[in-house]
Amino acid sequence: LQRLSDNDREEAIRLAHVDERLQMMKPSTRLFITFSIPLVENHVAVKAEDILPPKEQSEWDSHNTLECSTCGVRLPTEDEQSSHATKDLRSSPLPERAFLAAFNKLPIVDDLNEGLSFGTEAEGIVFGQKLLGPLLPKPRYVWEELASDQAQADIAYRGIGQLYLQASDVQDYEHMVDMRAMEPLHVREGFAKYGAAAYFNGGQL
């Protein structure tokens, strides 16, 4: 959005129709947004140097599990490490547990509402920033640019890509991040398929 002129930016904000589009969203989405924003706004991050090994290890069983029968996902209600600096949280508070239990019973509907489509990329960015921005966790570090070859190398060597970084299966390269196992996954019509492998030499793509 910074590349847009003031007039173009104001026009994108006007055309995004944030409040109108919000009312078009599914009740489950609106409920999740409303419930999540206060949690993010009141969160106090733990300093990296203060993160310690867990003092105790809980057994994960049916008593501390939330299960979504619709999609077959099980979630633990207890964390090994508190993520809130002002509270010694070892488990999800009761209000959150009650909300998640009710939320799990809502139907998953995949219908596409044409009214939620955007005319331009700028409209979508504005909508995301104004609606979703407040409920996204605040990152410790912000990478302003994610599209360049250098950004891909940063993700692989200094970001989440480290989890998948391995020796290359091609002789001309040192390392690789191989996500080709995702190729069989189905995507909606019009979306690119999952699955790719990125190769690196000397820490560069």
Side-chain angles (χ1 to χ4, degrees):
L1 290 180
Q2 294 176 348
R3 297 193 300 267
L4 299 177
S5 67
D6 291 341
N7 290 337
D8 289 341
R9 189 181 304 110
E10 290 178 5
E11 182 68 1
I13 293 173
R14 184 184 68 82
L15 293 174
H17 299 298
V18 175
D19 293 335
E20 294 176 28
R21 281 196 170 101
L22 176 60
Q23 296 307 314
M24 298 179 192
M25 289 184 163
K26 305 176 186 68
S28 57
T29 303
R30 299 202 303 270
L31 181 62
F32 183 77
I33 290 173
T34 303
F35 187 86
S36 300
I37 288 178
L39 296 179
V40 175
E41 289 178 340
N42 296 322
H43 183 263
V44 181
V46 178
K47 293 182 179 180
E49 59 265 28
D50 293 335
I51 297 178
L52 302 173
K55 299 176 182 178
E56 58 186 41
Q57 179 73 48
S58 300
E59 196 74 29
W60 186 16
D61 54 29
S62 59
H63 298 293
N64 56 9
T65 296
L66 285 171
E67 184 168 358
C68 179
S69 57
T70 305
C71 54
V73 173
R74 297 171 65 243
L75 298 172
T77 58
E78 296 183 4
D79 293 326
E80 294 181 356
Q81 171 69 45
S82 175
S83 62
H84 198 300
T86 61
K87 299 178 182 178
D88 186 24
L89 297 178
R90 296 298 172 196
S91 63
S92 300
L94 287 177
E96 291 182 33
R97 292 195 195 191
F99 166 77
L100 291 172
F103 188 79
N104 281 339
K105 296 178 181 179
L106 293 173
I108 296 178
V109 182
D110 205 25
D111 297 334
L112 179 62
N113 187 335
E114 294 295 338
L116 293 173
S117 301
F118 301 103
T120 66
E121 181 182 0
E123 291 174 32
I125 293 173
V126 169
F127 182 78
Q129 288 180 342
K130 286 189 170 294
L131 182 66
L132 302 178
L135 64 85
L136 295 176
K138 296 177 177 60
R140 296 180 186 273
Y141 302 98
V142 177
W143 291 348
E144 301 292 347
E145 187 274 314
L146 296 173
S148 67
D149 288 355
Q150 183 59 52
Q152 302 308 302
D154 288 340
I155 293 172
Y157 288 93
R158 302 173 184 86
I160 191 67
Q162 295 177 75
L163 297 175
Y164 302 96
L165 195 64
Q166 58 184 304
S168 173
D169 61 0
V170 177
Q171 188 174 0
D172 295 338
Y173 298 93
E174 294 178 282
H175 303 116
M176 65 184 292
V177 173
D178 188 2
M179 305 302 295
R180 287 173 291 192
M182 298 178 67
E183 288 178 355
L185 296 177
H186 297 290
V187 297
R188 293 176 180 172
E189 183 179 352
F191 285 84
K193 294 283 290 181
Y194 289 114
Y199 292 88
F200 302 89
N201 258 337
Q204 299 297 315
L205 185 66

